[in-house]
Amino acid sequence: MARYSLRRLFTMLLTMMLVSILVFAIVEIAPGNVARNILGAYATPEQEQSMQNQLGLDRPVFIRYISWLFGSDWQAERLVGYSLKEITISEGTVQKYRQWWAVDPQGNLVQWDVENGQLFRLIRQEDGSVLKVDDNASWKVNENGQRYFWGIDNANRAALWVEGEGGIEYRYEYSGWIAQTDSPLDYIPLSKGLIRGDAGISLRYKRPVSEVIARRFVNSLILAALAIAFSIPVAVLLGLIAGLNEGKFLDRFISVSSLVTAASPDFATGILLIMIFALWLKLLPGATVFMEELAVLKQPKLLVLPVLTASLVEIGYVVRMTRASVVEVMNSAYVRTAILKGLSRSRIIFRHVLRNAMMAPITVIMLHVNWFIGGLVVVESVFGYPGLGNLILNAALYKDVYTIEACSMILIALAVGTQLIADVIYAAINPRIRYT
């Protein structure tokens, strides 16, 4: 079993690598413009180009993929000539943000800026303030005789300044978008890379992807856990009852009902439940409006309709699968032998029928665990639920490639992990199953 688990782990890593490449390629060729999404519909071509440059989106897609996977700090270190360090700055007791600095030979944390053609070094002091000193001696000269300098700016990027050829950088201030001159001509957004636990900065939310995903993943996990805890026992029980009463009215009623719930689209089911319980009966809220992070725990009513909507489809699938397995096992030779031996019906059902009939439903259940986490896009969109599925949808519409990639990695790990759990359950239920 250990060798089998290691082999499955290797398969998961290989799958994650292939999917990450595929997602990067799909996002690259998909229609849409991140710079225009950020700047607005009335952005000029110059503003778009400036924003693309600042975000590093004008770099070759292969380089951007390598930077996302292995980081870009090592690339920037070769250009800057100093080692780079990321620190976390705290403001108050809650808000935190990250800053990249270069480490000079004296051990100081430094950044650079250019004003009116003059290069300045920004040295971070122990109290968090910055000392600004002249650094024109650090200009370098290229083969064309132009003076240039690679350094770290104050926006977590390695930046290339060329004397006399300052670019125009568009930044968003309280008064709106402003143009800043004497800006770098090229940028490398800094990150440590996924391999070192840094999935990059979300282009949509301007925050580390890990922070953006964390709360959404917990919300989806709560929704999925409640839906599974409700739907699976109900579905298995109904499937067992239908299978044991094959051909009778109870079997037909359960089968038809499960077919209806399985075939009904999530959005139609959700809207119907909203109309009944929120608009007509006025018993439950029709939208999951979170006024605080822990609202999902403090206001359980917010979860009732989303959980019920997600559960109905799952109940339909598992009921039909369980029923078919129970009918097949009930018609098997060893069950007929047990009946002829005079064993009680309850003993036959729980010792022979249920254990063997659960093999196929376990596969469906484990496959749907992954769907519950990331595939609840429709359910979360209908109810405005701030979960991972809704996040993936918004990231795809915005072309937020780093968020999409991180979510994809989570879903792949869940898919392979749940299948491994299913294999372990198979071996526990049926001792004849062995993995090598």
Side-chain angles (χ1 to χ4, degrees):
M1 191 64 183
R3 291 177 58 188
Y4 175 78
S5 299
L6 290 175
R7 191 162 63 246
R8 289 293 292 269
L9 179 61
F10 174 77
T11 302
M12 180 183 72
L13 295 176
L14 180 61
T15 304
M16 292 175 71
M17 176 71 71
L18 295 176
V19 170
S20 66
I21 295 173
L22 182 62
V23 170
F24 239 93
I26 292 175
V27 175
E28 183 68 19
I29 63 178
N33 188 317
V34 177
R36 182 167 289 275
N37 291 337
I38 294 174
L39 295 169
Y42 300 102
T44 64
E46 292 77 13
Q47 290 174 327
E48 286 187 29
Q49 181 59 41
S50 173
M51 184 58 65
Q52 292 272 7
N53 194 15
Q54 293 176 54
L55 297 174
L57 298 177
D58 57 347
R59 306 173 74 202
V61 63
F62 172 74
I63 299 299
R64 284 191 280 121
Y65 175 78
I66 294 298
S67 299
W68 171 78
L69 188 61
F70 298 104
S72 59
D73 54 337
W74 56 274
Q75 304 171 41
E77 283 180 349
R78 294 186 299 175
L79 298 171
V80 175
Y82 295 149
S83 62
L84 304 184
K85 182 178 181 179
E86 184 187 41
I87 63 174
T88 301
I89 307 296
S90 299
E91 289 187 354
T93 59
V94 178
Q95 187 173 358
K96 296 181 180 180
Y97 59 94
R98 303 175 184 176
Q99 281 187 347
W100 280 92
W101 297 78
V103 183
D104 68 10
Q106 291 73 38
N108 298 315
L109 299 180
V110 296
Q111 295 175 341
W112 288 268
D113 194 13
V114 172
E115 293 181 7
N116 299 320
Q118 304 298 309
L119 180 64
F120 293 94
R121 179 179 298 223
L122 311 177
I123 305 175
R124 191 174 193 273
Q125 306 299 298
E126 292 185 1
D127 60 359
S129 62
V130 174
L131 175 64
K132 185 176 181 180
V133 299
D134 181 274
D135 199 24
N136 278 304
S138 294
W139 286 106
K140 300 176 183 178
V141 181
N142 61 20
E143 62 275 8
N144 298 323
Q146 289 180 310
R147 297 212 299 175
Y148 73 96
F149 182 78
W150 272 101
I152 306 301
D153 68 3
N154 58 4
N156 294 334
R157 301 169 302 200
L160 170 64
W161 288 275
V162 177
E163 188 179 34
E165 295 187 14
I168 299 177
E169 179 177 302
Y170 292 90
R171 292 190 176 186
Y172 188 78
E173 305 290 348
Y174 289 108
S175 58
W177 288 97
I178 63 171
Q180 179 177 335
T181 57
D182 281 335
S183 296
L185 297 183
D186 198 9
Y187 302 88
I188 300 178
L190 296 173
S191 67
K192 293 182 178 179
L194 183 68
I195 299 298
R196 290 185 285 165
D198 182 3
I201 302 296
S202 169
L203 300 177
R204 177 180 174 86
Y205 299 99
K206 309 298 185 297
R207 293 167 53 201
V209 171
S210 57
E211 296 179 7
V212 174
I213 289 179
R215 185 68 253 173
R216 298 294 192 100
F217 180 70
V218 171
N219 290 342
S220 286
L221 198 63
I222 293 173
L223 178 59
L226 292 175
I228 291 172
F230 171 73
S231 63
I232 299 306
V234 172
V236 170
L237 178 60
L238 292 176
L240 180 62
I241 293 173
L244 295 175
N245 294 275
E246 181 185 9
K248 298 180 181 179
F249 171 78
L250 192 57
D251 173 34
R252 297 181 186 277
F253 178 77
I254 294 176
S255 298
V256 172
S257 300
S258 63
L259 181 61
V260 171
T261 58
S264 298
D266 290 337
F267 70 89
T269 303
I271 293 173
L272 178 62
L273 292 176
I274 290 173
M275 292 177 62
I276 294 174
F277 292 99
L279 300 180
W280 182 28
L281 299 178
K282 300 185 184 302
L283 296 175
L284 299 169
T288 52
V289 180
F290 283 21
M291 303 303 294
E292 53 184 327
E293 285 192 354
L294 298 178
V296 67
L297 301 177
K298 295 180 179 179
Q299 298 176 274
K301 281 188 175 182
L302 294 174
L303 288 168
V304 175
L305 291 184
V307 168
L308 189 57
T309 302
S311 299
L312 287 177
V313 176
E314 180 70 11
I315 288 174
Y317 280 116
V318 178
V319 163
R320 295 186 63 79
M321 186 63 67
T322 305
R323 177 199 175 277
S325 297
V326 170
V327 170
E328 181 181 357
V329 172
M330 286 296 293
N331 293 325
S332 61
Y334 62 86
V335 171
R336 291 197 297 268
T337 301
I339 294 174
L340 292 175
K341 285 183 176 181
L343 297 179
S344 65
R345 182 176 176 83
S346 60
R347 186 175 182 183
I348 293 173
I349 291 173
F350 289 105
R351 292 200 58 181
H352 299 284
V353 176
L354 189 57
R355 290 185 62 181
N356 291 282
M358 283 302 297
M359 298 295 288
I362 285 174
T363 303
V364 176
I365 293 168
M366 288 303 172
L367 285 173
H368 278 225
V369 168
N370 183 49
W371 175 86
F372 266 125
I373 298 296
L376 294 175
V377 177
V378 176
V379 175
E380 293 179 356
S381 298
V382 169
F383 294 96
Y385 190 86
L388 192 64
N390 207 356
L391 176 64
I392 295 173
L393 174 62
N394 292 329
L397 295 175
Y398 200 84
K399 292 194 69 173
D400 188 352
V401 60
Y402 303 123
T403 302
I404 298 173
E405 283 280 5
C407 292
S408 300
M409 298 303 98
I410 291 175
L411 296 181
I412 294 169
L414 283 172
V416 178
T418 51
Q419 287 306 296
L420 182 60
I421 294 173
D423 292 339
V424 173
I425 296 176
Y426 287 157
I429 293 178
N430 191 343
R432 293 175 298 178
I433 297 178
R434 290 291 181 268
Y435 301 102
T436 58

